[in-house]
């Protein structure tokens, strides 16, 4: 049954609203379709395309040496991304300054490919003076933005490689006190450039109570220093389950984690990823034991795409604006002016008419000029003709006078040319 809507179109008719209607002032008319059109399949199309292309994610780990960074990354992605420490050659010594090292791996889960890059920062916080430890890390993150900007500005942008850091796991030493100066300085310097995810390392070395108090003090420090850490976003119209999940994740920040890539046996005979102690087993994947599951949920399961999006839309975009402004590139705000199509057409018509009027005036001027030129030429030739006519008339008058003189002489019998006759007579006399 095709019922009629307020605009008079039958239900299910695809109506094209004028561009003006898309403005915020115009109401959006929701329509029901009479039959299956097919655009409900769009998410599947995007899904297939994304699966075919694969995903790219870059995570950075920062924290003092021995806080369990490599172990946690291996635990997170369930892959021995970092080789065991005892397999490293003896020459693999600690660098003298903060170094930046990347490890890449292609991992696959249920047919979905993920190219994961982990950027490690060995040496951070390991020196007597760690005042500038953050600098090489900021420089590295910004140089990745630079490389992306350079690729964006290329003529051919078919193959942009996104090496930007999408998340930074910052490992906090499990002191149980509060943040150290190096932690605050690092986060203050980095929070505008990268999604910060603070982590309390080796949480199994603290009691539950200590973890709770430590978290509260860390959050207070973060708020005091106005440090922005990544928060799980929530959107309008989201179902209660999603909102509860986001709230649950947010309540665990900073994540108190335990890492282990080896299996241990629990008292009840289960084989789990965890750490065995004489008093029992700390299970990595048990939410009652640590926040590892919530961290993985935030970083991988639920918000990986959000982390990528926030990096691109906010962090990179802000950096790009700052960079271009510092280079003296100014934005022409008129390009973002909201345009009303009918006003635009009217404006164009006025401009067109003005152009026509100008052309007409110019043509008139040219025509007048030509007419004037012609007139003056005609006047000139008229004057020339007149003077020639006068000359000829004078000559004829003169000729006539001469002839009349001749006639009079002949009639009066006088010689026509007296001098000539006189010469003749003189010859006869000789
Ligand atoms: N108690 C405890 N020990 C851990 C945990 N995670 C890792 N470790 C141990 O801590 C030691 C250092 O772990 P790594 O993962 O190599 O630490 P790292 O931060 O990568 O160290 P560097 O490579 O030196 O920067 C290893 O002996 C790990 O087994 C944890 O959650 N709890």
């Amino acid at each position: 049954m095709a019922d009629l809507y307020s605009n008079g179109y039958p239900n299910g008719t695809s109506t094209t609203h004028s561009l003006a209607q898309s403005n915020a002032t115009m109401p959006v008319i929701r329509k029901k379709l009479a039959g299956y059109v097919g655009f409900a399949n769009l998410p599947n199309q995007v899904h297939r395309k994304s699966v075919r292309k694969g995903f790219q994610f870059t995570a950075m780990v920062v924290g003092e040496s021995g806080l369990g960074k490599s172990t946690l990354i291996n635990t997170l992605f369930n892959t021995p991304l970092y080789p065991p420490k005892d397999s490293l050659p003896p020459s693999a010594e600690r660098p003298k300054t903060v170094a930046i090292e990347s490890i890449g791996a292609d991992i696959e889960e249920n047919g979905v490919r993920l190219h994961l890059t982990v950027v490690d920062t060995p040496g951070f916080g390991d020196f007597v003076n760690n005042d500038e430890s953050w600098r090489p890390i900021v420089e590295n993150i910004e140089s990745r933005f630079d490389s992306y900007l350079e690729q964006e500005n290329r003529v051919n942008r078919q193959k942009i490689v996104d090496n930007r850091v999408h998340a930074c796991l910052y490992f906090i030493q499990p002191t149980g006190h509060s943040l150290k100066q190096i932690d605050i300085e690092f986060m203050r310097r980095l929070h505008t450039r990268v999604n910060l995810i603070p982590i309390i390392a080796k949480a199994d070395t603290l009691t539950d109570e200590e973890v709770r108090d430590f978290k509260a003090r860390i959050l207070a420090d973060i708020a005091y220093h106005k440090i922005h850490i990544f928060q799980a976003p929530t959107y309008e119209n989201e179902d209660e389950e999603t909102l509860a999940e986001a709230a649950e994740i947010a309540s665990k920040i900073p994540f108190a984690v335990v890492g282990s890539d080896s299996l241990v046996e629990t008292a009840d005979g289960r084989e789990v990823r965890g750490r065995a102690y004489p008093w029992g087993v700390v299970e990595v994947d048990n939410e009652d034991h640590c926040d590892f599951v919530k961290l993985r949920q935030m970083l991988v399961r639920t918000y990986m795409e959000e982390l990528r999006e926030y990096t691109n839309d906010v962090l990179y975009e802000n950096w790009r604006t700052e960079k271009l402004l510092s280079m003296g590139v100014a934005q022409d705000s008129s390009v973002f002016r909201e345009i009303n199509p009918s006003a635009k057409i009217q404006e164009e018509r006025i401009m067109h008419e003005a152009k026509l009027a100008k052309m007409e005036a110019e043509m008139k001027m040219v025509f007048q000029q030509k007419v004037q030129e012609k007139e003056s030429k005609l006047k000139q030739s008229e004057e020339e003709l007149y003077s020639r006519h006068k000359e000829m008339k004078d000559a004829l008058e003169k000729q006539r006078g001469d002839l009349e003189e001749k006639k009079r002489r002949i009639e009066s019998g006088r010689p026509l040319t007296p001098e000539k006759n006189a010469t003749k007579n003189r010859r006869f006399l000789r």
Side-chain angles (χ1 to χ4, degrees):
M1 263 288 284
D3 54 283
L4 283 173
Y5 278 68
S6 54
N7 63 353
Y9 288 100
N11 182 15
T13 314
S14 101
T15 50
T16 315
H17 301 293
S18 72
L19 273 175
Q21 274 180 302
S22 64
N23 286 351
T25 49
M26 300 304 285
V28 175
I29 299 164
R30 293 187 188 275
K31 302 206 140 282
K32 280 186 197 151
L33 298 174
Y36 183 71
V37 174
F39 61 77
N41 201 36
L42 269 175
N44 294 340
Q45 291 179 28
V46 176
H47 171 83
R48 274 206 306 280
K49 200 172 164 199
S50 310
V51 169
R52 201 172 48 242
K53 268 174 61 184
F55 295 85
Q56 227 175 21
F57 189 77
T58 304
M60 182 180 250
V61 286
V62 185
E64 289 160 54
S65 163
L67 284 183
K69 302 183 292 291
S70 352
T71 312
L72 190 80
I73 290 294
N74 287 348
T75 320
L76 263 173
F77 295 98
N78 220 359
T79 307
L81 222 68
Y82 281 88
K85 293 276 150 76
D86 46 17
S87 71
L88 288 175
S91 58
E93 280 177 13
R94 284 258 142 221
K96 297 275 180 294
T97 55
V98 177
I100 311 286
E101 291 170 3
S102 295
I103 306 174
D106 282 308
I107 46 182
E108 196 171 321
E109 187 179 61
N110 295 341
V112 179
R113 277 182 300 114
L114 172 71
H115 181 77
L116 175 72
T117 308
V118 177
V119 183
D120 199 355
T121 54
F124 178 84
D126 293 350
F127 308 101
V128 179
N129 182 354
N130 291 306
D131 289 353
E132 297 280 297
S133 278
W134 53 270
R135 195 178 291 283
I137 300 172
V138 173
E139 282 169 4
N140 184 272
I141 288 174
E142 290 187 346
S143 80
R144 287 162 187 267
F145 282 163
D146 253 326
S147 140
Y148 194 81
L149 181 64
E150 189 264 322
Q151 293 181 73
E152 275 190 326
N153 291 338
R154 276 188 205 158
V155 176
N156 184 353
R157 305 194 302 177
Q158 290 287 311
K159 286 201 175 92
I160 292 192
V161 182
D162 185 4
N163 280 328
R164 294 170 298 179
V165 177
H166 301 116
C168 172
L169 301 183
Y170 185 72
F171 286 67
I172 300 164
Q173 209 181 357
T175 57
H177 308 302
S178 53
L179 287 180
K180 292 193 284 182
Q181 192 51 40
I182 183 174
D183 304 325
I184 294 168
E185 194 59 21
F186 176 82
M187 292 203 253
R188 252 178 15 89
R189 301 282 183 171
L190 267 283
H191 72 139
T192 54
R193 295 287 180 256
V194 73
N195 285 312
L196 275 179
I197 302 179
I199 285 172
I200 300 174
K202 297 185 173 179
D204 53 329
T205 58
L206 300 171
T207 64
D208 286 352
E209 207 168 65
E210 281 171 337
V211 167
R212 206 183 48 238
D213 294 348
F214 192 30
K215 277 189 179 188
R217 279 194 289 272
I218 291 173
L219 287 177
D221 277 347
I222 284 175
Y224 180 79
H225 292 282
K226 298 191 173 66
I227 293 166
H228 178 262
I229 53 173
F230 180 74
Q231 298 285 350
T234 49
Y235 300 102
E236 256 181 69
N237 306 330
E238 256 176 350
D239 56 89
E240 274 180 22
E241 201 183 318
T242 315
L243 289 173
E245 187 186 315
E248 177 78 9
I249 290 178
S251 72
K252 299 287 179 192
I253 296 172
F255 302 97
V257 295
V258 175
S260 167
D261 39 13
S262 52
L263 296 174
V264 287
E265 197 175 321
T266 59
D268 54 4
R270 285 178 295 125
E271 272 219 320
V272 294
R273 293 195 299 175
R275 306 193 82 86
Y277 290 100
W279 41 263
V281 166
V282 181
E283 296 176 33
V284 168
D285 297 283
N286 188 334
E287 291 200 41
D288 294 332
H289 292 194
C290 72
D291 302 330
F292 173 81
V293 172
K294 283 284 170 283
L295 169 68
R296 188 178 53 194
Q297 210 166 341
M298 175 156 194
L299 192 67
V300 190
R301 286 206 181 157
T302 320
Y303 296 118
M304 187 178 263
E305 199 45 39
E306 293 287 352
L307 286 160
R308 283 159 45 92
E309 218 173 273
Y310 192 82
T311 304
N312 184 63
D313 300 353
V314 181
L315 300 168
Y316 170 68
E317 207 49 42
N318 289 346
W319 170 84
R320 189 177 160 277
T321 309
E322 273 173 41
K323 166 122 187 167
L324 294 182
L325 285 176
S326 73
M327 283 164 66
V329 181
Q331 178 68 60
D332 175 8
S333 55
S334 68
V335 295
F336 296 119
R337 197 160 41 105
E338 264 198 23
I339 293 167
N340 177 342
S342 66
K344 174 105 180 120
I345 290 169
Q346 176 75 2
E347 195 181 309
E348 277 176 3
R349 199 170 57 81
I350 291 169
M351 273 168 69
H352 186 68
E353 276 172 7
K355 201 171 156 189
L356 278 181
K358 193 173 166 234
M359 274 169 74
E360 202 180 320
E362 276 172 5
M363 278 171 78
K364 258 187 195 161
M365 224 167 76
V366 170
F367 180 72
Q368 268 173 7
Q369 210 172 333
K370 292 253 179 220
V371 168
Q372 264 174 10
E373 272 173 22
K374 204 81 189 165
E375 269 178 4
S376 69
K377 260 190 191 162
L378 282 173
K379 209 169 191 174
Q380 200 180 333
S381 52
E382 188 191 350
E383 275 167 14
E384 277 173 14
L385 278 174
Y386 182 74
S387 69
R388 261 172 63 196
H389 165 77
K390 195 166 174 280
E391 260 173 39
M392 279 169 75
K393 198 177 158 193
D394 288 351
L396 282 172
E397 278 299 320
K398 192 169 176 278
Q399 217 175 347
R400 193 169 143 207
D402 287 352
L403 287 172
E404 270 176 4
E405 173 71 18
K406 259 186 203 170
K407 187 182 159 197
R408 253 184 279 126
R409 282 184 189 229
I410 291 165
E411 283 171 359
S412 63
R414 278 189 290 158
L416 286 174
T417 47
E419 298 84 16
K420 270 188 191 168
N421 289 343
T423 321
K424 258 187 201 170
N425 292 341
R426 267 200 302 275
R427 254 195 321 185
F428 285 128
L429 284 172
R430 263 193 276 153

